[in-house]
Amino acid sequence: MTDSLPLPSDVEALLTEQSESLPDRRERLAEALRAWNLRLLGELTGGYNSLVLRVVAEGEPAVLKIPSTRMAVAAEAAALRWWGEELAPRVLRVDEQLGALLIEQLRPGTAMPWESDADSQAMSPLLRGMHERAADLSLPLPRLRELAAETLSLLRRNAEAKNDLVDSDLAREAEALLVQLFTSGEHYRQVVLHGDAVPVNVLQSDDGLRVIDPRACIGEASYDAAYWSVFSGYGRDARQNVTLLADELGLDEGRVLRWAWAMAVDRLLQIADSTQLGHAELCTSLRGFIAESRPDTVA
């Protein structure tokens, strides 16, 4: 138990905050610190639904990640190892039963800057490297098509709840397009996808950029290219990104655009009624891309 273990104040506050929604996080942290002989330094920002901490492992700085779902560490570790040290941090330890992952701490570890579509040029070598090998289908990763049911169900719920904020025709068109894309995706070369390719998940290291925090799955490369195209700037310069990355990565520009357009409508439906600071501006950017870049295949 960590009750007898002195914790940095930021970590203690975070564990207390998460105690109801994630009651076992404290015990998992204590076991990881004990089993791997780690010295805890403090919290790190980042990691979707994960406890991400700075630690010292065998005298070297490292990052301990404890996600909400224990099984998530197997997929993340598999993806990071598949991409290798030229593209991702080294995996130092992983315990699937405990649901804990230990990786090297990148230095300086600052997030990749993004100001315009020109910065997407720097991302293309990473995406190319991540996708250069066809995926080993025995890797412990979900298939992209397996995300379809949850994605489409959420889209439908949001479309019904927010039909006064987002044109219902747009929602129906995006749903139909996503059904077609998910269904046809396995006709394309299958690679290990990052699944959440955005600038905050690309860090500066001493010798180049590295990707972190994947929501990894196996699917077609156009998905990652489209995701980056839309969410690097949340619709801003998205159309230019599609052209740039399709050309750089040798992908079908029309297919990347269809994924990107459907993703933009889906995200707009998610945040159209959000009062979170900055979301109104993001919605404006998404609406601009949606209106100006409608794919030819959308009826």
Side-chain angles (χ1 to χ4, degrees):
M1 295 289 292
T2 57
D3 293 337
S4 59
L5 187 70
L7 297 175
S9 58
D10 57 347
V11 177
E12 182 61 56
L14 187 59
L15 289 171
T16 300
E17 179 184 331
Q18 297 177 344
S19 61
E20 291 188 13
S21 59
L22 299 164
D24 69 341
R25 192 75 62 92
R26 184 180 293 269
E27 287 70 27
R28 290 163 64 194
L29 169 58
E31 177 59 22
L33 294 175
R34 183 199 63 77
W36 294 340
N37 192 28
L38 306 176
R39 180 162 60 90
L40 180 58
L41 299 179
E43 181 189 1
L44 268 177
T45 57
Y48 184 71
N49 283 338
S50 295
L51 184 65
V52 185
L53 305 169
R54 294 181 297 112
V55 299
V56 175
E58 299 181 357
E60 294 294 328
V63 175
L64 174 63
K65 185 172 182 178
I66 302 178
S68 56
T69 305
R70 294 179 187 233
M71 67 182 68
V73 299
E76 181 165 350
L80 296 179
R81 285 170 168 161
W82 182 257
W83 294 323
E85 295 175 24
E86 292 185 358
L87 303 170
R90 286 182 297 119
V91 175
L92 304 177
R93 298 284 187 94
V94 58
D95 187 322
E96 297 176 20
Q97 184 174 359
L98 179 60
L101 176 68
L102 187 70
I103 61 176
E104 72 168 315
Q105 182 173 343
L106 298 173
R107 299 175 179 173
T110 52
M112 175 185 178
W114 191 92
E115 295 296 336
S116 70
D117 66 299
D119 294 307
S120 294
Q121 189 78 46
M123 185 62 182
S124 62
L126 274 181
L127 289 172
R128 187 184 305 110
M130 290 161 61
H131 299 158
E132 67 180 356
R133 288 188 294 167
D136 178 351
L137 301 185
S138 68
L139 288 168
L141 299 173
R143 302 292 184 88
L144 181 59
R145 69 168 186 267
E146 294 170 17
L147 308 181
E150 182 178 355
T151 299
L152 293 169
S153 176
L154 180 59
L155 184 152
R156 293 180 192 118
R157 292 199 303 272
N158 284 327
E160 182 177 351
K162 304 172 189 179
N163 60 10
D164 58 331
L165 298 173
V166 179
D167 189 311
S168 57
D169 287 341
L170 282 181
R172 283 192 293 269
E173 290 164 3
E175 179 184 350
L177 191 51
L178 284 171
V179 168
Q180 187 274 326
L181 290 165
F182 278 120
T183 302
S184 61
E186 295 206 349
H187 296 301
Y188 294 81
R189 182 171 173 270
Q190 301 296 285
V191 302
V192 175
L193 297 172
H194 187 282
D196 192 19
V198 292
V200 73
N201 288 336
V202 182
L203 300 187
Q204 301 275 1
S205 73
D206 287 338
D207 56 353
L209 299 173
R210 300 289 185 275
V211 293
I212 62 165
D213 288 344
R215 293 205 290 263
C217 61
I218 293 175
E220 59 170 312
S222 292
Y223 182 89
D224 269 353
Y227 202 100
W228 176 271
S229 293
V230 175
F231 299 120
S232 56
Y234 247 81
R236 184 162 56 91
D237 290 339
R239 186 64 187 87
Q240 295 94 312
N241 285 338
V242 166
T243 298
L244 185 155
L245 290 178
D247 181 63
E248 289 283 329
L249 303 176
L251 300 172
D252 179 341
E253 182 177 341
R255 190 165 179 89
V256 177
L257 178 59
R258 291 192 288 278
W259 271 116
W261 190 87
M263 288 175 181
V265 175
D266 183 39
R267 189 58 58 92
L268 177 62
L269 284 165
Q270 292 174 33
I271 67 172
D273 60 346
S274 174
T275 58
Q276 186 172 324
L277 184 65
H279 274 193
E281 182 179 350
L282 297 182
C283 286
T284 298
S285 295
L286 288 172
R287 288 181 188 277
F289 169 64
I290 291 165
E292 296 166 7
S293 303
R294 200 182 196 88
D296 293 339
T297 54
V298 175

